[in-house]
Amino acid sequence: MEVTFKDVSLSYDGSREILHHLNFTIPEGTLVSILGPSGCGKSTTLMMISGLLAPTSGQIFFGDEDVTKQDALQRKVGMVFQNYALYPHLNVLDNIMFPLKMAKVPKPERKKKAIELAKLVHIEDQLDKKPGSLSGGQQQRVAIARALAKEPSLLLLDEPLSNLDARLRIEMRQEIRRIQQETGVTTIFVTHDQDEALHISDHIMVLNSGQIQQFSSAETLYDNPSNLFVAQFIGEPVINTLDIADFGDELKGQIDTELLKRTQKVGIRPEALQDHDTGAETLATITTKVKTFEKFGREKNALLDFNGKRLLTTEIEAEIAEGQELPLYLQKSGFYLFDQDGTRIFGGDQDA
Amino acid sequence: MLNEKPTLKSTGKALLYLLPMLVITITFNIYPIIKSFIMSFYTKYDFFRDIVSQYGFDNFKFLFSDPDFHIAVKNTLIFVVGVVPLTVIISLAVALLLNRITWLSGLFRTVYFLPFVTSTVAIAQVWHWIYNSDYGLLNYFLGFFGVNAISWLESPRYAMLALIIMSVWKNLGFNIVLFLVGLNNINERYYQAAKIDGANSWHQFTNVTVPLLSPITFLVSVNGVIGSFKVFDEIFALFNGTPGPSKSALTIVYYLYQKFYTEWKYGIAAASGVVLFFMILLVTMFQLWYSKRHVHY
Ligand SMILES: Nc1ncnc2c1ncn2[C@@H]1O[C@H](COP(=O)(O)OP(=O)(O)OP(=O)(O)O)[C@@H](O)[C@H]1O
Ligand SMILES: [Mg+2]
């Protein structure tokens, strides 16, 4: 089901606005991640989609239908809560069966379905336990099974994997992706883990302090961040951020002077600092001093000093010694300029 | 440590901590209980010199053949069966309503709690007027529905009902507060999950509120059963020191009181106490057994 927000704002107490004028459309059948730091309003957004929370202003549409006034019972979405919210008095099987019971599905069918789902999320050996005696990760999986039980046309997942270990997490996220693609259920997946968002979703909505920063594919987020926040939030290791004042004459002549005048911050991805000349790809050259150089596994991180600021690069091929001078070649892709509002004014596909 | 094994030393230390309370409990609780158990087997007893010349089951035999005691047992059971369910249901209903309204909820809470902090004698005086057959408020209201004046406190048919109504009303305050605490302890997220799972208000009540409130319901009903079995002061105050018209409100404790203080038959009084004790024990054990299966902690 397609979900559309039209100018939706929300305030819990009537004075402090948490979400400001959200406008977006989540296409039918896609998996969209909402990514953002803690407290930015991700759960609040989900609660408004589910109907547990009414927007202070604006409209919500499911397809063409205006559901703003409908409550959670009428909207019939599936949801995994951030705190699981399993019924403490029911065992795992009964928890999974509960939505089916409410839908008046006959008991044998209910049970069969619930056991199938339990197998899917690998908790079929815990069916008789109460949620209180399950680990956090097991509870999360029960919650996922419960949300899937009623085969909703819209599935909302609020950090459903946050409590799982690294391996199970990858397994479960592939499972969620598989189920989503098999059933075609429109899924909204909240996470603050960019890796998870990048791997699982068709589109990512980056949210910060109640505003949508960017809503696009993972690749676009990385290659064409619309502002400094997105550039800093997406990417591991984190993008190098410098003030324009840190540069001397290195950028002069390479970039339009008008643009340079408006520039406040400079963003350079760690892989955009090469130790050799790449010809046409090279934008400028800077001189740096090596502070530390670390190698573990496939990772090579060199920490450099540039006019008193720290730079990180992952692209050093040659053996280098600490303290030595090192010329670095700034690459065109992965180099961005941001104005005083943080908006990107140079870099990305537009300047490739 | 949470999983420490008890040792001789740790047990001794625990005993030392408990000692002051133990002394008080043994002197004022354990000893009298044992004493009254033994007393129920006194068949020949000289009160003034505290000499027991014969032990036996005569007191119990007397109870089983005494029609007054039969009435007392029957009335007690009627009272318990009348008061406890009504108390649970009404106080839960009021608590649910109070939990919904935010307007003046503090005032309402105080109003409902008042009976609990008011003395039984004062309450009985108020109800005396309410029940008054000529000027009483209750008959006045019933008059609107075409019901003829009922002599609540003078007719053997209505005396027990009058007693039950007053007792339920008196119990409400405290139990409402208990239920309110219980309701407040149910996390909002369970209701949210239930709504998402398609539960309407009624299903939310039966599938979330009732099970998650069951520890409080259990507490309220056990407390109510024990308190109701021991009913005495309400009767004494409502019927001016009599067990109601033609013993219509004679209960076991009232019977015990009569035997002990007015007839000085200590052995029989003690024996009726023992019977009451076992009745309460039986019912409470049943409740405990039931709670194992239906109360969710
Ligand atoms: N019930 C509430 N009443 C008042 N304010 C709330 C309530 N729930 C959340 N908030 C506030 O709304 C803001 C957004 O909260 P929200 O739970 O949506 O964040 P989030 O993005 O899900 O964070 P996290 O990643 O930590 O879960 C926070 O500032 C929070 O303090
Ligand atoms: Mg959240």
Side-chain angles (χ1 to χ4, degrees):
Chain A
M1 198 155 37
E2 187 184 79
V3 178
T4 308
F5 268 41
K6 272 205 184 133
D7 216 28
V8 170
S9 298
L10 181 109
S11 155
Y12 279 106
D13 51 9
S15 62
R16 198 169 61 100
E17 208 175 71
I18 304 285
L19 293 170
H20 320 285
H21 303 283
L22 297 190
N23 280 294
F24 62 80
T25 297
I26 290 167
E28 161 131 37
T30 56
L31 197 161
V32 170
S33 291
I34 302 181
L35 181 63
S38 182
C40 70
K42 303 183 295 293
S43 299
T44 307
T45 308
L46 273 203
M47 297 272 272
M48 282 201 293
I49 300 175
S50 70
L52 290 171
L53 201 62
T56 316
S57 64
Q59 286 170 296
I60 299 171
F61 292 87
F62 283 2
D64 298 330
E65 192 188 359
D66 184 347
V67 295
T68 317
K69 296 263 148 54
Q70 293 186 358
D71 63 11
L73 225 56
Q74 295 167 289
R75 293 199 204 174
K76 298 196 168 85
V77 304
M79 183 162 176
V80 172
F81 289 85
Q82 187 163 11
N83 49 34
Y84 330 130
L86 298 175
Y87 307 111
H89 57 285
L90 299 181
N91 66 22
V92 169
L93 189 68
D94 289 333
N95 259 287
I96 302 175
M97 288 198 304
F98 188 74
L100 299 171
K101 185 176 162 194
M102 290 300 109
K104 303 207 168 60
V105 175
K107 198 153 188 198
E109 208 174 305
R110 249 189 256 167
K111 196 164 174 185
K112 193 167 145 262
K113 184 98 189 274
I115 291 173
E116 261 170 40
L117 286 163
K119 280 194 184 129
L120 188 71
V121 294
H122 306 301
I123 35 157
E124 68 272 26
D125 50 346
Q126 313 282 340
L127 293 179
D128 298 329
K129 282 197 188 165
K130 294 270 173 71
S133 49
L134 295 179
S135 75
Q138 289 168 332
Q139 292 183 38
Q140 252 172 357
R141 283 179 277 156
V142 178
I144 294 173
R146 182 179 64 177
L148 290 172
K150 62 181 199 180
E151 297 178 354
S153 51
L154 183 60
L155 183 61
L156 310 176
L157 306 166
D158 197 346
E159 308 202 17
L161 310 178
S162 58
N163 255 317
L164 306 183
D165 62 69
R167 276 184 75 168
L168 197 57
R169 208 171 160 132
I170 291 172
E171 193 185 324
M172 286 299 295
R173 87 179 176 212
Q174 284 166 348
E175 204 57 59
I176 289 177
R177 184 59 168 159
R178 190 183 64 72
I179 295 166
Q180 193 271 325
Q181 281 176 337
E182 244 169 50
T183 59
V185 53
T186 310
T187 304
I188 303 172
F189 185 99
V190 164
T191 177
H192 53 229
D193 179 348
Q194 50 162 303
D195 202 42
E196 211 162 81
L198 296 175
H199 275 92
I200 199 171
S201 25
D202 296 310
H203 299 288
I204 298 175
M205 182 191 304
V206 180
L207 208 61
N208 188 36
S209 42
Q211 270 164 335
I212 297 179
Q213 304 295 317
Q214 192 167 356
F215 186 18
S216 61
S217 71
E219 222 167 299
T220 312
L221 281 185
Y222 191 79
D223 294 338
N224 301 304
S226 62
N227 58 36
L228 185 60
F229 175 83
V230 177
Q232 288 179 324
F233 197 69
I234 306 287
E236 180 62 46
V238 173
I239 194 168
N240 295 297
T241 314
L242 299 171
D243 290 323
I244 189 68
D246 294 329
F247 287 87
D249 295 334
E250 291 93 340
L251 301 176
K252 283 233 174 82
Q254 315 295 334
I255 298 167
D256 185 40
T257 347
E258 276 306 303
L259 270 182
L260 283 179
K261 260 192 206 150
R262 280 164 53 206
T263 302
Q264 179 96 21
K265 294 277 184 186
V266 179
I268 311 166
R269 296 252 180 240
E271 68 273 14
L273 289 165
Q274 295 281 351
D275 65 347
H276 59 278
D277 197 339
T278 52
E281 288 299 304
T282 300
L283 186 77
T285 326
I286 56 172
T287 313
T288 62
K289 204 169 175 183
V290 180
K291 274 164 89 177
T292 57
F293 183 51
E294 286 169 342
K295 253 170 127 173
F296 24 74
R298 288 191 325 193
E299 273 180 43
K300 287 172 304 207
N301 290 338
L303 210 56
L304 310 148
D305 179 279
F306 171 65
N307 295 343
K309 291 289 171 75
R310 279 165 22 131
L311 283 181
L312 181 88
T313 171
T314 51
E315 301 300 315
I316 304 294
E317 297 295 337
E319 283 299 317
I320 52 170
E322 285 176 18
Q324 99 174 56
E325 289 226 330
L326 187 70
L328 283 179
Y329 301 85
L330 278 183
Q331 303 301 299
K332 272 184 184 161
S333 77
F335 177 87
Y336 310 100
L337 298 179
F338 302 96
D339 69 9
Q340 56 185 7
D341 302 327
T343 310
R344 175 173 54 103
I345 52 173
F346 179 84
D349 293 342
Q350 59 176 46
D351 299 301
Chain B
M1 224 65 67
L2 215 57
N3 51 358
E4 201 178 15
K5 289 256 160 28
T7 61
L8 209 63
K9 198 172 151 219
S10 71
T11 313
K13 208 160 94 186
L15 267 178
L16 225 77
Y17 280 124
L18 290 173
L19 194 65
M21 201 55 219
L22 267 181
V23 171
I24 294 172
T25 312
I26 289 174
T27 329
F28 294 104
N29 290 348
I30 313 277
Y31 172 73
I33 289 173
I34 295 172
K35 184 75 185 171
S36 55
F37 257 95
I38 298 172
M39 206 186 239
S40 67
F41 294 103
Y42 291 0
T43 43
K44 277 200 182 137
Y45 177 48
D46 184 343
F47 174 74
F48 295 101
R49 282 179 291 169
D50 194 17
I51 295 168
V52 187
S53 34
Q54 201 182 335
Y55 291 92
F57 288 98
D58 288 4
N59 293 328
F60 292 97
K61 278 184 201 145
F62 176 82
L63 285 183
F64 286 112
S65 56
D66 183 10
D68 272 5
F69 189 70
H70 295 172
I71 292 174
V73 171
K74 193 184 104 204
N75 284 342
T76 306
L77 290 177
I78 292 174
F79 184 78
V80 171
V81 171
V83 166
V84 178
L86 279 179
T87 304
V88 171
I89 292 168
I90 297 176
S91 39
L92 176 58
V94 175
L96 283 170
L97 287 178
L98 286 183
N99 208 33
R100 286 281 162 91
I101 57 163
T102 41
W103 187 72
L104 287 184
S105 66
L107 176 75
F108 280 116
R109 273 168 214 222
T110 316
V111 167
Y112 279 106
F113 199 64
L114 272 178
F116 183 69
V117 290
T118 312
S119 100
T120 310
V121 178
I123 290 173
Q125 283 314 311
V126 172
W127 280 91
H128 231 108
W129 277 106
I130 296 176
Y131 285 138
N132 186 296
S133 48
D134 299 325
Y135 322 106
L137 213 55
L138 192 55
N139 279 345
Y140 179 70
F141 273 118
L142 289 175
F144 287 128
F145 302 99
V147 179
N148 286 333
I150 293 169
S151 32
W152 290 96
L153 301 179
E154 295 81 26
S155 148
R157 257 183 82 191
Y158 292 106
M160 181 51 96
L161 184 61
L163 178 68
I164 289 176
I165 293 175
M166 184 187 89
S167 302
V168 169
W169 181 81
K170 178 174 168 272
N171 288 344
L172 286 186
F174 190 60
N175 291 328
I176 288 171
V177 171
L178 285 180
F179 274 124
L180 278 174
V181 171
L183 286 173
N184 270 321
N185 276 337
I186 301 178
N187 200 311
E188 178 60 25
R189 65 177 181 230
Y190 299 124
Y191 292 105
Q192 293 183 341
K195 275 181 215 159
I196 291 288
D197 289 339
N200 58 27
S201 307
W202 173 248
H203 284 140
Q204 285 170 39
F205 176 72
T206 53
N207 288 290
V208 178
T209 310
V210 169
L212 294 186
L213 209 55
S214 56
I216 299 286
T217 315
F218 178 63
L219 174 70
V220 165
S221 54
V222 168
N223 202 21
V225 163
I226 295 175
S228 305
F229 264 114
K230 297 192 302 187
V231 60
F232 172 75
D233 41 358
E234 285 90 341
I235 304 167
F236 198 89
L238 190 62
F239 298 104
N240 294 326
T242 69
S246 16
K247 297 177 186 164
S248 52
L250 178 68
T251 60
I252 299 180
V253 175
Y254 206 102
Y255 178 91
L256 188 154
Y257 163 82
Q258 281 186 329
K259 288 287 175 250
F260 197 96
Y261 286 103
T262 53
E263 298 175 27
W264 299 358
K265 292 178 178 159
Y266 303 114
I268 290 170
S272 64
V274 169
V275 171
L276 179 65
F277 172 82
F278 280 106
M279 283 171 71
I280 294 178
L281 188 71
L282 204 75
V283 175
T284 312
M285 298 249 283
F286 170 77
Q287 284 180 304
L288 265 176
W289 168 81
Y290 185 83
S291 79
K292 286 255 159 56
R293 300 178 353 183
H294 296 277
V295 174
H296 310 282
Y297 292 102

